[in-house]
Amino acid sequence: MSTGKKKKISAGKRKFRRFLRIYASILGIATIVVCIIVWGRLKNYQESYDNSKSKHSPDKFMDEFVDNLDYEKILGYVKNYGINVETGINPKENHAAYFAACVAADGAKYDKNDKYTSVMPVYDVYAGDTRIAVLSLKADGKSDSFGFHDWKIRDMAFDTNEIDYETTTVTVNEGMVLKYNGQAVGDEYKIDSTDNDAIRAKARALGASVPAVETYVIKDTFGSRNITATDSNGNSYTAFVDGNTYDFTGSKGTKAPEDIEQRVFDTIDSYILTIYNHKSFDETATYIEYNSDAYRLIKDVLASVIWGWTPDTVDILEQSVTDYVAYGDNLFSCSYYGKIYKYEEGKSESGEETFNYRLIFKKHDGKWYLNYFIIV
Protein backbone atom coordinates (compact mmCIF):
# COMPACT_ATOMS: atom_id res chain seq x y z
CA MET A 1 0.00 0.00 0.00
CA SER A 2 2.78 2.41 0.70
CA THR A 3 4.05 2.02 -2.83
CA GLY A 4 0.74 3.09 -4.34
CA LYS A 5 0.57 6.22 -2.15
CA LYS A 6 3.98 7.32 -3.24
CA LYS A 7 2.94 6.98 -6.87
CA LYS A 8 -0.13 9.17 -6.26
CA ILE A 9 1.97 11.86 -4.57
CA SER A 10 4.47 11.89 -7.42
CA ALA A 11 1.70 12.32 -9.98
CA GLY A 12 0.25 15.25 -8.01
CA LYS A 13 3.59 16.98 -7.88
CA ARG A 14 4.02 16.61 -11.57
CA LYS A 15 0.67 18.25 -12.23
CA PHE A 16 1.46 21.13 -9.88
CA ARG A 17 4.83 21.71 -11.44
CA ARG A 18 3.23 21.74 -14.87
CA PHE A 19 0.75 24.30 -13.62
CA LEU A 20 3.55 26.47 -12.25
CA ARG A 21 5.38 26.34 -15.53
CA ILE A 22 2.28 27.29 -17.47
CA TYR A 23 1.44 30.05 -15.02
CA ALA A 24 4.99 31.41 -15.10
CA SER A 25 4.98 31.36 -18.88
CA ILE A 26 1.66 33.18 -19.00
CA LEU A 27 2.86 35.69 -16.41
CA GLY A 28 6.11 36.23 -18.29
CA ILE A 29 4.32 36.74 -21.54
CA ALA A 30 1.87 39.12 -19.88
CA THR A 31 4.75 41.04 -18.32
CA ILE A 32 6.49 41.34 -21.66
CA VAL A 33 3.28 42.49 -23.31
CA VAL A 34 2.70 45.05 -20.56
CA CYS A 35 6.31 46.27 -20.83
CA ILE A 36 5.98 46.57 -24.59
CA ILE A 37 2.76 48.52 -24.22
CA VAL A 38 4.20 50.77 -21.50
CA TRP A 39 7.45 51.29 -23.43
CA GLY A 40 5.51 52.11 -26.56
CA ARG A 41 3.41 54.63 -24.70
CA LEU A 42 6.46 56.10 -22.99
CA LYS A 43 8.22 56.30 -26.35
CA ASN A 44 5.22 57.97 -27.94
CA TYR A 45 5.02 60.36 -25.02
CA GLN A 46 8.70 61.20 -25.31
CA GLU A 47 8.40 61.70 -29.04
CA SER A 48 5.36 63.91 -28.55
CA TYR A 49 7.21 65.81 -25.84
CA ASP A 50 10.30 66.28 -28.00
CA ASN A 51 8.22 67.28 -31.00
CA SER A 52 6.30 69.81 -28.95
CA LYS A 53 9.50 71.16 -27.44
CA SER A 54 11.13 71.48 -30.86
CA LYS A 55 8.03 72.94 -32.46
CA HIS A 56 7.71 75.60 -29.78
CA SER A 57 11.44 76.28 -29.36
CA PRO A 58 12.44 79.96 -29.45
CA ASP A 59 15.37 78.91 -31.65
CA LYS A 60 12.86 77.60 -34.20
CA PHE A 61 11.15 80.96 -34.18
CA MET A 62 14.54 82.62 -34.80
CA ASP A 63 15.36 80.20 -37.62
CA GLU A 64 12.22 81.29 -39.44
CA PHE A 65 12.86 84.92 -38.52
CA VAL A 66 16.32 85.14 -40.13
CA ASP A 67 15.27 83.01 -43.11
CA ASN A 68 12.58 85.53 -44.04
CA LEU A 69 14.47 88.79 -43.56
CA ASP A 70 14.05 91.00 -46.62
CA TYR A 71 13.35 94.69 -47.26
CA GLU A 72 9.59 94.48 -46.74
CA LYS A 73 9.90 92.49 -43.52
CA ILE A 74 12.62 94.77 -42.15
CA LEU A 75 10.64 97.88 -43.08
CA GLY A 76 7.66 96.49 -41.16
CA TYR A 77 9.85 95.88 -38.09
CA VAL A 78 11.36 99.38 -38.36
CA LYS A 79 7.92 100.95 -38.53
CA ASN A 80 6.63 98.85 -35.61
CA TYR A 81 9.60 99.17 -33.27
CA GLY A 82 11.25 102.38 -34.48
CA ILE A 83 14.80 103.41 -35.25
CA ASN A 84 16.98 105.61 -33.05
CA VAL A 85 18.02 107.91 -35.93
CA GLU A 86 14.96 109.71 -37.28
CA THR A 87 16.65 112.54 -39.19
CA GLY A 88 17.57 112.69 -42.86
CA ILE A 89 15.45 111.69 -45.85
CA ASN A 90 12.89 108.93 -45.19
CA PRO A 91 14.94 107.40 -42.37
CA LYS A 92 12.73 104.32 -41.97
CA GLU A 93 12.82 103.34 -45.64
CA ASN A 94 16.53 104.05 -46.02
CA HIS A 95 17.50 102.14 -42.87
CA ALA A 96 15.37 99.20 -44.00
CA ALA A 97 17.09 99.27 -47.39
CA TYR A 98 20.51 99.47 -45.70
CA PHE A 99 19.89 96.49 -43.39
CA ALA A 100 18.31 94.49 -46.22
CA ALA A 101 21.39 95.12 -48.38
CA CYS A 102 23.63 93.93 -45.53
CA VAL A 103 21.60 90.73 -45.17
CA ALA A 104 21.57 90.14 -48.92
CA ALA A 105 25.35 90.56 -49.07
CA ASP A 106 26.44 88.64 -45.95
CA GLY A 107 23.45 86.51 -44.89
CA ALA A 108 21.54 86.64 -41.60
CA LYS A 109 22.21 84.64 -38.45
CA TYR A 110 21.48 84.89 -34.73
CA ASP A 111 23.04 84.17 -31.38
CA LYS A 112 21.81 84.23 -27.80
CA ASN A 113 22.25 87.53 -26.04
CA ASP A 114 23.89 87.68 -22.61
CA LYS A 115 20.46 88.52 -21.17
CA TYR A 116 18.87 85.34 -22.53
CA THR A 117 16.60 83.38 -20.16
CA SER A 118 14.16 80.54 -20.79
CA VAL A 119 11.31 82.83 -19.71
CA MET A 120 12.37 85.75 -21.91
CA PRO A 121 14.70 84.70 -24.73
CA VAL A 122 16.86 87.53 -26.08
CA TYR A 123 18.79 87.23 -29.34
CA ASP A 124 21.35 89.23 -31.32
CA VAL A 125 20.73 89.26 -35.07
CA TYR A 126 23.72 89.58 -37.40
CA ALA A 127 24.39 90.30 -41.04
CA GLY A 128 27.70 88.55 -41.45
CA ASP A 129 29.68 89.55 -38.37
CA THR A 130 27.89 92.86 -37.82
CA ARG A 131 25.03 93.01 -35.34
CA ILE A 132 22.02 94.73 -36.85
CA ALA A 133 19.34 94.15 -34.22
CA VAL A 134 18.50 92.81 -30.75
CA LEU A 135 15.10 91.25 -30.10
CA SER A 136 13.35 89.66 -27.17
CA LEU A 137 10.49 87.13 -27.29
CA LYS A 138 7.36 86.45 -25.26
CA ALA A 139 4.74 83.69 -25.11
CA ASP A 140 2.22 83.61 -27.91
CA GLY A 141 -1.02 81.89 -26.88
CA LYS A 142 -1.67 79.17 -24.29
CA SER A 143 0.70 76.37 -23.40
CA ASP A 144 0.01 72.84 -24.68
CA SER A 145 -0.27 69.72 -22.48
CA PHE A 146 3.51 69.62 -22.12
CA GLY A 147 3.74 73.23 -20.99
CA PHE A 148 5.20 74.54 -24.26
CA HIS A 149 3.88 77.50 -26.25
CA ASP A 150 4.55 79.52 -29.40
CA TRP A 151 6.67 82.69 -29.38
CA LYS A 152 6.35 86.18 -30.79
CA ILE A 153 8.45 89.32 -30.71
CA ARG A 154 8.24 91.22 -27.45
CA ASP A 155 10.56 94.07 -28.42
CA MET A 156 13.14 94.84 -31.08
CA ALA A 157 15.92 97.43 -31.36
CA PHE A 158 18.02 98.04 -34.46
CA ASP A 159 21.73 98.52 -33.89
CA THR A 160 22.95 101.66 -35.67
CA ASN A 161 26.28 101.94 -33.84
CA GLU A 162 28.23 100.58 -36.80
CA ILE A 163 26.63 102.94 -39.34
CA ASP A 164 28.75 105.84 -40.55
CA TYR A 165 26.42 108.85 -40.70
CA GLU A 166 27.55 111.90 -42.66
CA THR A 167 26.15 115.25 -43.73
CA THR A 168 26.20 115.42 -47.54
CA THR A 169 26.28 118.62 -49.57
CA VAL A 170 25.01 118.48 -53.16
CA THR A 171 25.24 121.25 -55.78
CA VAL A 172 23.11 121.12 -58.93
CA ASN A 173 22.15 123.47 -61.72
CA GLU A 174 18.88 125.25 -61.16
CA GLY A 175 15.92 123.14 -62.27
CA MET A 176 17.61 119.76 -61.85
CA VAL A 177 15.74 116.97 -60.07
CA LEU A 178 17.84 115.60 -57.21
CA LYS A 179 17.23 112.13 -55.75
CA TYR A 180 18.74 110.28 -52.80
CA ASN A 181 18.38 106.49 -52.96
CA GLY A 182 15.64 106.96 -55.54
CA GLN A 183 13.67 109.40 -53.35
CA ALA A 184 13.17 113.01 -54.41
CA VAL A 185 15.00 115.59 -52.32
CA GLY A 186 12.57 118.39 -51.45
CA ASP A 187 13.11 122.12 -51.14
CA GLU A 188 13.31 121.78 -47.35
CA TYR A 189 16.87 120.52 -47.81
CA LYS A 190 17.84 123.46 -50.00
CA ILE A 191 19.98 126.17 -48.42
CA ASP A 192 20.41 129.80 -49.40
CA SER A 193 22.82 129.31 -52.26
CA THR A 194 23.14 132.68 -53.95
CA ASP A 195 25.61 132.16 -56.76
CA ASN A 196 28.52 134.41 -55.83
CA ASP A 197 31.05 132.49 -57.91
CA ALA A 198 33.27 135.05 -59.64
CA ILE A 199 34.07 132.85 -62.63
CA ARG A 200 30.43 132.09 -63.43
CA ALA A 201 29.53 135.75 -62.93
CA LYS A 202 32.27 136.85 -65.34
CA ALA A 203 31.19 134.23 -67.89
CA ARG A 204 27.65 135.64 -67.74
CA ALA A 205 29.03 139.16 -68.18
CA LEU A 206 30.84 137.93 -71.29
CA GLY A 207 27.54 136.73 -72.72
CA ALA A 208 27.62 133.08 -71.77
CA SER A 209 24.46 131.25 -70.73
CA VAL A 210 25.39 130.00 -67.28
CA PRO A 211 22.65 128.41 -65.14
CA ALA A 212 22.28 129.38 -61.52
CA VAL A 213 23.22 126.75 -58.97
CA GLU A 214 21.30 125.29 -56.05
CA THR A 215 22.81 123.65 -52.99
CA TYR A 216 21.21 120.98 -50.83
CA VAL A 217 22.40 119.78 -47.42
CA ILE A 218 21.23 116.31 -46.38
CA LYS A 219 21.97 115.23 -42.82
CA ASP A 220 22.60 111.65 -41.67
CA THR A 221 23.23 110.05 -45.03
CA PHE A 222 24.74 106.56 -44.89
CA GLY A 223 25.32 103.35 -46.79
CA SER A 224 25.67 103.44 -50.57
CA ARG A 225 24.44 107.05 -50.83
CA ASN A 226 22.96 106.66 -54.30
CA ILE A 227 22.64 110.33 -55.29
CA THR A 228 21.46 111.24 -58.80
CA ALA A 229 20.51 114.38 -60.70
CA THR A 230 18.63 114.83 -63.98
CA ASP A 231 17.76 117.95 -65.96
CA SER A 232 14.32 118.94 -67.21
CA ASN A 233 14.78 116.73 -70.28
CA GLY A 234 15.56 113.66 -68.18
CA ASN A 235 19.28 113.69 -68.98
CA SER A 236 21.40 112.22 -66.18
CA TYR A 237 24.51 114.00 -64.92
CA THR A 238 27.65 112.55 -63.38
CA ALA A 239 28.72 114.03 -60.08
CA PHE A 240 32.19 115.18 -59.15
CA VAL A 241 32.57 113.63 -55.70
CA ASP A 242 34.94 114.98 -53.07
CA GLY A 243 34.32 113.19 -49.78
CA ASN A 244 30.73 113.99 -48.86
CA THR A 245 30.37 116.78 -51.44
CA TYR A 246 28.66 116.06 -54.76
CA ASP A 247 28.76 118.54 -57.65
CA PHE A 248 26.42 117.92 -60.60
CA THR A 249 26.95 121.31 -62.27
CA GLY A 250 29.51 119.95 -64.72
CA SER A 251 32.06 122.50 -63.49
CA LYS A 252 34.20 120.12 -61.42
CA GLY A 253 36.76 117.51 -62.37
CA THR A 254 36.36 117.62 -66.15
CA LYS A 255 39.61 117.34 -68.09
CA ALA A 256 40.24 119.84 -70.87
CA PRO A 257 40.96 118.77 -74.46
CA GLU A 258 44.70 118.39 -75.09
CA ASP A 259 45.05 121.45 -77.34
CA ILE A 260 43.27 123.67 -74.83
CA GLU A 261 45.28 122.20 -71.95
CA GLN A 262 48.51 123.00 -73.79
CA ARG A 263 47.35 126.58 -74.48
CA VAL A 264 46.71 127.05 -70.74
CA PHE A 265 50.14 125.62 -69.89
CA ASP A 266 51.87 127.92 -72.39
CA THR A 267 50.00 130.96 -71.05
CA ILE A 268 50.84 130.36 -67.40
CA ASP A 269 54.42 129.30 -68.20
CA SER A 270 54.93 132.61 -69.99
CA TYR A 271 53.49 134.53 -67.06
CA ILE A 272 55.67 132.72 -64.48
CA LEU A 273 58.84 133.10 -66.53
CA THR A 274 58.06 136.79 -67.10
CA ILE A 275 57.95 137.30 -63.34
CA TYR A 276 61.09 135.39 -62.40
CA ASN A 277 63.24 136.10 -65.45
CA HIS A 278 62.32 139.79 -65.69
CA LYS A 279 61.12 139.40 -69.24
CA SER A 280 59.06 141.98 -71.06
CA PHE A 281 55.29 142.08 -70.60
CA ASP A 282 55.02 142.03 -74.38
CA GLU A 283 56.12 138.40 -74.41
CA THR A 284 53.35 137.17 -72.13
CA ALA A 285 50.85 139.62 -73.65
CA THR A 286 50.73 137.47 -76.77
CA TYR A 287 48.66 134.98 -74.74
CA ILE A 288 46.27 137.55 -73.20
CA GLU A 289 43.21 139.19 -74.72
CA TYR A 290 44.01 142.85 -75.31
CA ASN A 291 42.48 145.30 -72.86
CA SER A 292 40.77 142.49 -70.92
CA ASP A 293 40.71 142.29 -67.13
CA ALA A 294 43.62 139.87 -67.22
CA TYR A 295 45.60 142.14 -69.58
CA ARG A 296 45.20 145.21 -67.37
CA LEU A 297 45.84 143.34 -64.13
CA ILE A 298 49.01 141.56 -65.25
CA LYS A 299 50.36 144.70 -66.93
CA ASP A 300 49.81 146.74 -63.75
CA VAL A 301 51.36 144.04 -61.57
CA LEU A 302 54.48 143.77 -63.70
CA ALA A 303 54.81 147.55 -63.92
CA SER A 304 54.67 147.88 -60.13
CA VAL A 305 57.01 145.02 -59.29
CA ILE A 306 60.23 146.06 -57.60
CA TRP A 307 62.62 143.67 -59.25
CA GLY A 308 64.84 141.89 -56.81
CA TRP A 309 66.13 138.35 -56.77
CA THR A 310 66.34 136.55 -60.07
CA PRO A 311 66.91 132.80 -59.68
CA ASP A 312 69.42 131.02 -61.87
CA THR A 313 66.85 128.37 -62.82
CA VAL A 314 63.08 128.06 -62.75
CA ASP A 315 61.81 124.54 -63.33
CA ILE A 316 58.15 123.60 -63.64
CA LEU A 317 57.69 120.40 -61.63
CA GLU A 318 53.95 119.81 -61.92
CA GLN A 319 50.95 121.33 -63.65
CA SER A 320 47.39 120.33 -64.42
CA VAL A 321 44.19 121.74 -65.87
CA THR A 322 40.87 120.59 -64.40
CA ASP A 323 37.28 121.78 -63.95
CA TYR A 324 37.00 122.53 -67.65
CA VAL A 325 33.67 124.07 -68.69
CA ALA A 326 32.92 125.15 -72.26
CA TYR A 327 30.41 127.98 -72.70
CA GLY A 328 29.63 127.52 -76.37
CA ASP A 329 32.43 127.56 -78.94
CA ASN A 330 34.24 130.75 -77.94
CA LEU A 331 34.53 130.73 -74.16
CA PHE A 332 35.70 128.32 -71.48
CA SER A 333 36.77 128.31 -67.85
CA CYS A 334 39.13 125.99 -66.00
CA SER A 335 41.31 125.57 -62.93
CA TYR A 336 45.10 125.52 -63.09
CA TYR A 337 47.55 124.03 -60.61
CA GLY A 338 51.31 124.29 -60.97
CA LYS A 339 54.43 123.75 -58.88
CA ILE A 340 57.83 125.26 -59.71
CA TYR A 341 61.32 125.04 -58.24
CA LYS A 342 63.42 128.22 -58.08
CA TYR A 343 67.15 127.90 -57.46
CA GLU A 344 70.19 130.06 -56.94
CA GLU A 345 73.17 128.78 -55.02
CA GLY A 346 73.38 130.22 -51.54
CA LYS A 347 69.98 131.92 -51.66
CA SER A 348 67.40 131.18 -48.96
CA GLU A 349 64.65 132.08 -51.40
CA SER A 350 65.41 128.89 -53.36
CA GLY A 351 62.68 126.27 -53.12
CA GLU A 352 59.26 125.22 -54.35
CA GLU A 353 56.28 127.45 -55.03
CA THR A 354 52.73 126.53 -56.06
CA PHE A 355 50.20 128.39 -58.19
CA ASN A 356 46.42 127.90 -58.14
CA TYR A 357 44.25 129.88 -60.53
CA ARG A 358 40.78 129.81 -62.00
CA LEU A 359 40.81 131.14 -65.53
CA ILE A 360 38.56 132.26 -68.36
CA PHE A 361 39.75 132.08 -71.97
CA LYS A 362 38.08 133.68 -74.96
CA LYS A 363 38.61 132.78 -78.61
CA HIS A 364 39.63 135.35 -81.24
CA ASP A 365 40.45 134.47 -84.83
CA GLY A 366 40.74 130.78 -83.94
CA LYS A 367 43.10 131.28 -80.97
CA TRP A 368 42.44 131.20 -77.25
CA TYR A 369 43.45 134.19 -75.10
CA LEU A 370 43.33 134.65 -71.34
CA ASN A 371 40.50 137.05 -70.45
CA TYR A 372 40.10 136.79 -66.68
CA PHE A 373 41.60 134.96 -63.70
CA ILE A 374 41.45 134.76 -59.92
CA ILE A 375 43.89 133.31 -57.43
CA VAL A 376 42.55 130.49 -55.25
Side-chain angles (χ1 to χ4, degrees), residues 221-241:
T221 64
F222 58 93
S224 62
R225 297 181 178 89
N226 180 23
I227 299 174
T228 61
T230 55
D231 62 18
S232 57
N233 295 319
N235 298 313
S236 298
Y237 282 66
T238 300
F240 174 79
V241 183

Side-chain angles (χ1 to χ4, degrees), residues 272 276 309 311 313-319 337-344 347-356:
I272 292 172
Y276 284 106
W309 173 60
T313 59
V314 178
D315 296 320
I316 297 175
L317 304 179
E318 299 176 29
Q319 54 185 179
Y337 166 78
K339 180 190 289 187
I340 68 171
Y341 185 78
K342 309 164 295 184
Y343 177 75
E344 182 177 353
K347 290 291 186 178
S348 61
E349 293 92 340
S350 296
E352 294 180 353
E353 184 176 356
T354 58
F355 297 84
N356 286 281

Side-chain angles (χ1 to χ4, degrees), residues 65-77 96-97 99-101 103-104:
F65 177 86
V66 297
D67 285 345
N68 292 292
L69 272 184
D70 57 17
Y71 171 75
E72 294 298 335
K73 287 288 182 66
I74 294 174
L75 179 60
Y77 295 136
F99 290 126
V103 169

Side-chain angles (χ1 to χ4, degrees), residues 195-212:
D195 191 358
N196 295 318
D197 184 82
I199 293 295
R200 283 196 291 267
K202 184 61 178 178
R204 292 189 189 101
L206 292 171
S209 177
V210 184

Side-chain angles (χ1 to χ4, degrees), residues 271 356-358 373-376:
Y271 171 63
N356 286 281
Y357 301 116
R358 293 182 65 198
F373 74 97
I374 58 174
I375 300 172
V376 293

